[in-house]
Amino acid sequence: MTSHRFAPLGPLRGTIRVPGDKSISHRALMFAGLAVGRSRITGLLEGEDVLATAAAMRSLGAVIAREDDGTWVVDGVGVGSLLEPGAALDMGNSGTSTRLLMGLVASHDLTATFVGDASLSRRPMQRVIDPLQLMGASFHASAGGTLPVMVRGAAPAVPITYRLPVASAQVKSAVLLAGLNTPGITRVIEPVPTRDHTERMLAGFGARLELGEEDGARVIAVHGEADLQPMDVVVPGDPSSAAFFMVAASIVPGSDLVIENVGLNPTRSGLVSVLRAMGADIVEHSPREVGGEPVADLRVRHAPLSGIDVDPAIAPAMIDEFPVLFVAAALAQGTTRTRGLEELRVKESDRLSTMAAALGLAGARVEEKADGLVIHGTGGEPLPGTSEGAHVATRLDHRIAMSMAVAGLMSRSGVRVDDTAPINTSFPTFMGLLAKAAAA
Ligand code: S3P
């Protein structure tokens, strides 16, 4: 464990570029690995989670290499031709790798075992096991539907129409990926829209996909026994990584920061809307498309924030950004109320209790409810910070570590976190960019 004290650094200025989108990077490697022929990926996030996906795709037969200029070259095996891995697939901390790859192997004639770290081994896998069993795959899971999980794929699998019981892009994607090698048409009904990178990118790789609507719900249909064509993918910057800098520049007086190349897919950009509703000064420059996704450069200037009631309907579009939103709320004027956030309890950590404890330790006034946090802000006054000898427990959760780093910027005595190592799962350049923006 690498403990670290995040101290106030002064205003954040200049221009930074956050690394590639994690969700899109996982999908780029998986779909390129399923295409027949050579794909090239630029801007891939080289964080531990994505590297776990790359290693797993290699074990399943794809040939993946990184060139000196940072381009990733993938020679795919073709849908239906994945190989049985010789050893257990180690997913590390990555829920996305695990759930999407379970979908992929569920319709192939092979057996695979998935293992992960202590955090991932506590997370629920039954939500993907249920639909994939309906498609014919069989599973041996550990108690409570957790890792390690052994999957015996079905060949041929059976197409299903599956209504998502929980708003989850991972479950949606697992079913659609299983559908790629399933005869007929596999459908997912999505009552609450979640990130749509799978749909966008699969269409780019040449899968036959139909998007419709039924009684107000989105319906996504994928035609099976697909032939994916290789393509060149450009991965835009990750809005979930930019989020830490959006909040940091908003709360630290004197800040004026440009964050370049930020993905602004509407299924991901909820935090920008919520911060603006709190009074943040965020301006989009040079809106454009990168890799089939909307992107812009964001200029964020310090502004006084006010507490608000966050509409639970926006939660799926900012599901990974709540930890850092809670930090913004802790520095805002007045009270911020969030609800409808039960899903946060099954992320890399229980993000409601972990953030309530972390912010409480740093001197913020936080009430934990069953489905959200209520936070009484300081009105822009710095938080006291963690006292001598106390440290925030990050619980193997990268987003807790980075959120509390941002809290440290607006604290009197700094915020000590117990472990910064998890930051490498999603944002290996975080510490360097923070130092750079503070020095500019
Ligand atoms: C992701 C979906 C979300 C998100 C995760 C990445 C994805 O998870 O929290 O970080 O890439 O599909 P859920 O599907 O569990 O909501």
Side-chain angles (χ1 to χ4, degrees):
M1 298 228 281
T2 321
S3 149
H4 188 86
R5 191 175 78 92
F6 289 96
L9 293 173
L12 304 179
R13 306 181 69 89
T15 299
I16 60 165
R17 216 176 161 84
V18 294
D21 189 283
K22 182 151 74 77
S23 290
I24 295 174
S25 295
H26 284 301
R27 287 159 173 81
L29 286 170
M30 290 179 198
F31 304 168
L34 281 177
V36 179
R38 175 164 292 190
S39 298
R40 303 173 73 83
I41 309 168
T42 51
L44 189 86
L45 168 67
E46 296 178 348
E48 289 167 1
D49 280 11
V50 175
L51 298 180
T53 289
M57 288 307 296
R58 283 190 184 112
S59 303
L60 292 164
V63 177
I64 304 179
R66 180 191 191 277
E67 294 185 338
D68 290 343
D69 67 355
T71 304
W72 286 68
V73 180
V74 181
D75 289 301
V77 278
V79 172
S81 301
L82 294 180
L83 306 177
E84 181 159 295
L89 301 174
D90 187 352
M91 303 285 94
N93 189 251
S94 179
T96 309
S97 310
T98 311
R99 297 196 179 111
L100 269 58
L101 289 169
M102 278 184 185
L104 211 59
V105 302
S107 59
H108 280 77
D109 183 17
L110 57 85
T111 298
T113 300
F114 292 83
V115 298
D117 73 4
S119 153
L120 185 58
S121 301
R122 282 190 288 269
R123 299 181 65 187
M125 296 300 149
Q126 202 60 43
R127 52 180 62 196
V128 285
I129 294 175
D130 286 340
L132 297 174
Q133 266 173 343
L134 293 174
M135 297 181 79
S138 47
F139 290 80
H140 287 289
S142 305
T146 57
L147 297 190
V149 169
M150 194 178 88
V151 188
R152 170 79 221 145
V158 189
I160 58 169
T161 293
Y162 192 67
R163 191 179 176 87
L164 294 180
V166 48
S168 166
Q170 293 178 357
V171 178
K172 167 175 69 176
S173 301
V175 175
L176 294 174
L177 294 194
L180 285 176
N181 195 40
T182 300
I185 300 177
T186 298
R187 283 189 189 81
V188 177
I189 302 173
E190 189 179 44
V192 182
T194 63
R195 65 190 68 195
D196 61 359
H197 307 302
T198 296
E199 297 91 305
R200 286 177 188 244
M201 202 186 293
L202 270 183
F205 274 93
R208 263 185 78 197
L209 219 68
E210 278 136 28
L211 306 178
E213 219 198 274
E214 213 174 87
D215 302 329
R218 289 185 74 215
V219 184
I220 306 120
V222 65
H223 290 246
E225 298 176 296
D227 283 320
L228 298 192
Q229 317 298 325
M231 71 179 272
D232 292 347
V233 182
V234 182
V235 181
D238 197 327
S240 300
S241 296
F244 302 105
F245 286 92
M246 285 184 221
V247 170
S250 296
I251 64 175
V252 178
S255 295
D256 183 352
L257 183 69
V258 174
I259 315 169
E260 287 181 336
N261 187 39
V262 181
L264 289 175
N265 180 317
T267 62
R268 296 286 299 284
S269 60
L271 179 71
V272 177
S273 315
V274 168
L275 285 177
R276 281 183 178 145
M278 295 173 79
D281 180 356
I282 304 176
V283 181
E284 289 163 38
H285 291 287
S286 314
R288 55 200 183 269
E289 238 190 47
V290 173
E293 298 274 344
V295 159
D297 303 327
L298 301 182
R299 181 175 181 192
V300 187
R301 278 175 282 191
H302 168 257
L305 301 181
S306 305
I308 59 167
D309 285 0
V310 179
D311 181 355
I314 203 168
M318 56 175 291
I319 195 67
D320 293 334
E321 283 66 80
F322 280 97
V324 78
L325 173 70
F326 297 148
V327 175
L331 274 306
Q333 174 74 49
T335 299
T336 296
R337 292 186 177 78
T338 58
R339 59 196 169 86
L341 303 180
E342 297 87 348
E343 270 297 300
L344 293 194
R345 296 204 182 274
V346 292
K347 295 297 181 186
E348 285 82 332
S349 69
D350 173 341
R351 288 182 172 161
L352 293 180
S353 71
T354 313
M355 280 307 293
L359 281 171
L361 205 68
R365 284 172 56 213
V366 183
E367 296 166 46
E368 182 180 345
K369 310 281 185 194
D371 67 340
L373 298 186
V374 175
I375 299 178
H376 308 283
T378 62
E381 281 301 304
L383 295 168
T386 50
S387 51
E388 195 57 37
H391 56 238
V392 163
T394 49
R395 305 203 180 285
L396 289 177
D397 189 335
H398 54 134
R399 300 205 196 279
I400 304 300
M402 289 185 277
S403 298
M404 294 313 292
V406 174
L409 298 177
M410 274 301 282
S411 67
R412 291 192 203 290
S413 57
V415 167
R416 180 167 285 283
V417 306
D418 63 352
D419 194 8
T420 54
I423 294 174
N424 290 326
T425 62
S426 70
F427 197 168
T429 54
F430 174 76
M431 303 284 255
L433 288 180
L434 192 58
K436 178 185 166 192

